[in-house]
């Protein structure tokens, strides 16, 4: 009865951006271990200029995901990114909460 | 992601249809599976589970890893009757993550003061439900005891395949209600879906305990609903 809660309105935005002629990538949390701020299925959408909406963490790794997404938009090849305390990237971008996440980044179209 | 799949996904979400976006993490191909369009085999079982639980997850099928992103419309509870039981249901529904709205044409009951922070419609169910139709992700609980108010929304909830339809009243009251619904053209097997007396049988006595019993019954109906 109530309208869909806008939990993942990033997907609507991705479609809007696409219709406006932008190149769009969607990043999706596909798995989490331990304490992770966003559950599996959460999205970040990115355009070719690096504008973004949504989140895949509590703001810890979005910068890195946006940079990778611009590569994905250029190449068209999807990428799997992993972030967590256990690997070296943690020191660069780091999940302060101590969790691990895998983020799948793909181009729309 | 295929732009057409994205379009279909957004359309399904807007229409409050449950679906799972299946992405092959090996080659990046994706497809959308709508509830009721079941898929065979191991992947199909995983999709069904994602639809039931609403949990998005990865699944390994032989050599290939898939991501299943479950999109379920948020379940919504419509309570007919702005009574004491309803007031007790509000905090439980909120805690369990269910939207709740109240409809009662009796303006003395349906006040915003009695239901702070909850949508309250001081109108006839006929009018409210014409404007905002029920669907399969709605639960309907009719608790006024008054056939003039309860009967229409109960029949409408059955016609619209709400995942839960419950009605307050003794077995005798319900017996009379069944006769009226049959006369109204509702089929017996639809009528059999009505939970009456309302609520899990936990011997609930107070309005607050009845609220717990009703909410538990709604959760049971939602988590164990048929998916055919």
């Amino acid at each position: 009865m109530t309208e869909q809660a806008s939990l993942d309105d990033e997907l609507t935005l991705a479609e809007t951006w696409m219709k406006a002629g932008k190149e769009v990538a969607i990043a999706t949390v596909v798995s989490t271990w331990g304490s992770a701020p966003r559950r599996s299925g959460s999205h970040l959408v990115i355009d070719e200029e690096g504008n973004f909406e949504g989140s895949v963490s509590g703001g810890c790794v979005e910068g890195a995901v946006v940079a990778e997404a611009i590569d994905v938009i250029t190449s068209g090849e999807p990428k799997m990114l992993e972030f967590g305390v256990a690997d070296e990237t943690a020191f660069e971008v780091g999940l302060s909460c101590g969790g691990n996440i895998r983020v799948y980044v793909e181009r729309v179209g | 992601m295929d732009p057409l799949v994205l379009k279909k996904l957004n359309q399904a979400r807007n229409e409050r249809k449950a679906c799972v976006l299946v992405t092959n993490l090996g080659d990046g191909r994706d497809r959308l599976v709508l509830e009721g369009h079941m898929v065979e085999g191991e992947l199909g079982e995983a999709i069904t589970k994602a639809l039931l639980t609403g949990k998005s997850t990865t699944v390994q099928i032989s050599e290939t890893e898939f991501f299943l992103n479950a999109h379920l419309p948020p379940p919504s509870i419509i309570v007919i009757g702005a009574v004491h039981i309803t007031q007790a249901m509000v905090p439980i529904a909120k805690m369990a993550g269910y939207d709740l709205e109240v409809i009662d044409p009796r303006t003395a009951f349906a006040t915003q003061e009695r239901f702070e922070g909850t949508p309250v419609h001081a109108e006839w169910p006929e009018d409210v439900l014409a404007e905002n139709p029920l669907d399969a992700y709605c639960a309907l609980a009719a608790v006024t005891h008054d056939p003039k108010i309860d009967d229409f929304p109960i029949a409408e909830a059955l016609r619209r395949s709400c995942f839960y339809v419950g009605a307050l009243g003794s077995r005798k009251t319900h017996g009379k209600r069944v006769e009226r619904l049959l006369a109204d053209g509702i089929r017996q097997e639809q009528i059999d879906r009505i939970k009456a007396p309302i609520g899990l049988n936990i011997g609930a006595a107070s309005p607050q305990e009845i609220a717990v019993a009703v909410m538990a019954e709604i959760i049971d109906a939602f988590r164990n609903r048929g998916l055919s």
Side-chain angles (χ1 to χ4, degrees), chain B residues 79-83 103-107 109 121 123-127 129 140-156 177 180:
Chain B
V79 186
I80 309 299
V83 299
I103 304 174
D104 196 329
R106 301 169 300 177
T107 49
F109 286 86
H121 308 269
E123 297 166 67
W124 285 91
E126 284 84 337
D127 299 330
L129 299 180
L140 185 115
V143 294
T144 71
H145 292 103
D146 184 342
K148 283 201 304 298
I149 305 173
D150 284 350
D151 275 12
F152 174 82
I154 291 170
E156 185 66 5
R177 180 186 292 132
R180 292 193 303 271

Side-chain angles (χ1 to χ4, degrees), chain B residues 41-44 46 59-66:
Chain B
E42 218 180 320
L43 183 60
V59 58
Q60 187 87 26
I61 309 285
S62 56
E63 298 293 293
T64 312
E65 189 181 29
F66 293 90

Side-chain angles (χ1 to χ4, degrees), chain B residues 153-215:
Chain B
I154 291 170
E156 185 66 5
L158 294 173
R159 285 190 287 263
R160 298 271 180 175
S161 304
C162 288
F163 72 85
Y164 173 87
V165 186
L168 193 72
S170 65
R171 281 173 217 285
K172 197 176 153 194
T173 307
H174 186 59
K176 288 183 191 160
R177 180 186 292 132
V178 170
E179 284 171 23
R180 292 193 303 271
L181 290 169
L182 283 170
D184 196 27
I186 308 291
R187 296 194 313 274
Q188 184 65 49
E189 66 259 34
Q190 288 177 291
I191 291 172
D192 291 344
R193 292 192 54 228
I194 302 173
K195 302 288 186 187
I198 200 168
L200 289 189
N201 185 6
I202 55 171
S206 68
Q208 292 81 0
E209 288 178 354
I210 295 169
V212 170
V214 174
M215 281 304 304

Side-chain angles (χ1 to χ4, degrees), chain B residues 61-131:
Chain B
I61 309 285
S62 56
E63 298 293 293
T64 312
E65 189 181 29
F66 293 90
F67 180 60
L68 309 182
N69 205 350
H71 297 268
L72 260 57
S76 192
I77 301 170
I78 314 302
V79 186
I80 309 299
V83 299
H84 200 174
I85 294 170
T86 318
Q87 287 177 299
M89 283 173 69
V90 167
I92 311 174
K94 191 175 180 189
M95 188 177 66
Y98 290 69
D99 292 333
L100 188 148
E101 293 190 28
V102 185
I103 304 174
D104 196 329
R106 301 169 300 177
T107 49
F109 286 86
T111 66
Q112 206 58 65
E113 290 69 40
R114 284 162 51 79
F115 292 92
E116 210 175 320
T118 301
V120 178
H121 308 269
E123 297 166 67
W124 285 91
E126 284 84 337
D127 299 330
V128 182
L129 299 180
E131 189 87 356

Side-chain angles (χ1 to χ4, degrees), chain A residues 1-15 18-19 26 28-31 39-43 78 80 102 104 106-109, chain B residues 1 3 6-7 9-10 13 16 23-25 28 30 56-58 65 67 69 71-74 76 78 99 101 103 121 128-129 132-133 135 138:
Chain A
M1 186 168 155
T2 311
E3 289 301 305
Q4 164 105 22
S6 338
L7 271 180
D8 37 13
D9 253 2
E10 297 81 34
L11 294 175
T12 308
L13 184 66
E15 202 182 329
M18 219 182 59
K19 281 181 187 155
I26 296 180
T28 308
V29 178
V30 297
S31 48
R39 63 184 176 88
S40 284
S42 303
H43 294 294
M80 186 70 80
R102 280 166 79 212
Y104 185 71
E106 60 190 319
R107 187 173 78 181
V108 183
Chain B
M1 182 190 269
L6 176 63
K7 201 178 159 199
L9 171 60
N10 283 333
R13 290 166 61 234
R16 282 182 61 88
T23 306
N24 180 326
L25 296 177
D30 43 39
S56 301
T57 180
T58 52
E65 189 181 29
F67 180 60
N69 205 350
H71 297 268
L72 260 57
S76 192
I78 314 302
D99 292 333
E101 293 190 28
I103 304 174
H121 308 269
V128 182
L129 299 180
N132 305 292
D135 64 39
C138 291

